[in-house]
Amino acid sequence: MASLISCPHCGARPKEEFTIKGAVLPRRPDAGAGSEAWMDYVYRRDNPRGAYREYWHHTSGCRRWLVVTRDTASHEVAACQDAALAKRAEAQP
């Protein structure tokens, strides 16, 4: 049985319809940031075990950007939300 991802727009869809685009954090440094900040951003990444938030693109469906929280050990998906809504929620005080 195929793994299903619960897209907030399309419902449960096979994981093959999605493309993983990378971690939500760390955030891209400002253009004027020093070389050390860029070195950290490009080359020095954590490899955590457990819950991890990633940007996914529903390439074969609604074509929306999503934030998916999944366990890096079991690959179980705990949450999936629209990336625009997730960004707005983070910006709220």
Side-chain angles (χ1 to χ4, degrees), residues 7 15 28 33-34 36 40 45 47 50 56 65 67-69 73 75-76 80-81 87:
C7 175
K15 70 175 173 37
R28 183 182 175 101
E36 193 65 26
D40 289 344
R45 297 291 179 104
N47 189 14
W56 286 32
W65 283 95
V67 173
V68 174
T69 303
H75 300 290
E76 180 181 344
C80 181
Q81 65 184 128
K87 186 166 181 97

Side-chain angles (χ1 to χ4, degrees), residues 2-85:
S3 296
L4 298 176
I5 306 298
S6 184
C7 175
H9 304 285
C10 304
R13 307 298 303 162
K15 70 175 173 37
E16 291 79 17
E17 288 190 6
F18 300 85
T19 305
I20 300 173
K21 294 298 187 175
V24 171
L25 293 175
R27 299 214 187 277
R28 183 182 175 101
D30 292 328
S35 61
E36 193 65 26
W38 281 102
M39 181 71 78
D40 289 344
Y41 176 72
V42 174
Y43 296 109
R44 297 181 188 131
R45 297 291 179 104
D46 290 333
N47 189 14
R49 182 177 177 92
Y52 196 63
R53 294 178 72 215
E54 299 168 311
Y55 286 115
W56 286 32
H57 188 236
H58 196 175
T59 49
S60 296
C62 61
R63 303 193 53 82
R64 297 292 304 242
W65 283 95
L66 307 169
V67 173
V68 174
T69 303
R70 72 175 179 92
D71 188 295
T72 58
S74 67
H75 300 290
E76 180 181 344
V77 173
C80 181
Q81 65 184 128
D82 187 279
L85 297 176

